[in-house]
Amino acid sequence: MKKILLATTMLTMTAGAAAADGHMTWSASAAAGIASNGTAEGGDTQATVQGLPAADAFADDNFQVYSTAGLALALAGQTDGGLTFGAAFDLTVGKSYDLGDEDGFDTNGGAFGSPTIFVAGTYGKLEISDDNFDFADDSTTGDVQYSGTFGAFSVGAIADIDSGEMQFS
């Protein structure tokens, strides 16, 4: 009985997938290098006449090797009724180095990132993802985002469910 139920469930899932037009895209990345947690501007770091860091500039934070790899997946489909739905998530493993304003190392344990799930139709797009939507001032992240365009009028909202904050655009 269990084998029949499992086979029936698999056939149902396959039939459901066939009824909706869908696709999957993916991308991969890798990076490696040698870096230090120092910064060339401000702080205790001093440059010599030749433009190289002073000998003791990185004394408490020696150079380290980093290597990281990432995989990003995006799934999307459309129902016969015209609704578009999908999800996107990523996986990053290894030790990475941020080359932005806040130089530093990040260790990525190999877990999938929080997925972003969406549904879109005539009345706009609703996306849900735990703390993945940035408010305009970048000081807070939101969990739910709505956007819609109606002729020349566009509306958008981001809500942080944990704090109850909401921002409209």
Side-chain angles (χ1 to χ4, degrees):
M1 179 64 183
K2 289 181 183 178
K3 290 181 183 179
I4 294 171
L5 180 60
L6 178 61
T8 305
T9 304
M10 290 174 70
L11 285 173
T12 303
M13 289 171 46
T14 304
D21 294 328
H23 65 276
M24 177 179 88
T25 59
W26 63 276
S27 64
S29 63
I34 300 172
S36 175
N37 268 342
T39 177
E41 298 176 14
D44 295 314
T45 304
Q46 301 294 322
T48 63
V49 176
Q50 295 85 13
L52 300 173
D56 63 345
F58 301 112
D60 61 344
D61 201 353
N62 295 326
F63 285 91
Q64 298 177 35
V65 172
Y66 66 92
S67 62
T68 184
L71 175 65
L73 299 169
L75 314 164
Q78 186 170 4
T79 66
D80 292 337
L83 284 178
T84 304
F85 58 89
F89 51 95
D90 61 14
L91 169 69
T92 305
V93 296
K95 182 193 281 187
S96 61
Y97 187 76
D98 181 10
L99 296 173
D101 293 336
E102 297 177 14
D103 290 356
F105 293 98
D106 293 319
T107 301
N108 303 300
F112 280 98
S114 181
T116 300
I117 310 295
F118 76 89
V119 62
T122 306
Y123 298 105
K125 183 176 185 179
L126 179 66
E127 299 175 87
I128 299 175
S129 186
D130 187 28
D131 292 333
N132 270 349
F133 304 110
D134 291 331
F135 281 84
D137 62 5
D138 285 339
S139 65
T140 308
T141 56
D143 305 308
V144 178
Q145 177 172 273
Y146 170 79
S147 59
T149 302
F150 310 96
F153 179 71
S154 293
V155 65
I158 297 176
D160 182 20
I161 303 303
D162 302 328
S163 69
E165 290 184 52
M166 184 172 252
Q167 182 177 32
F168 295 96
S169 61

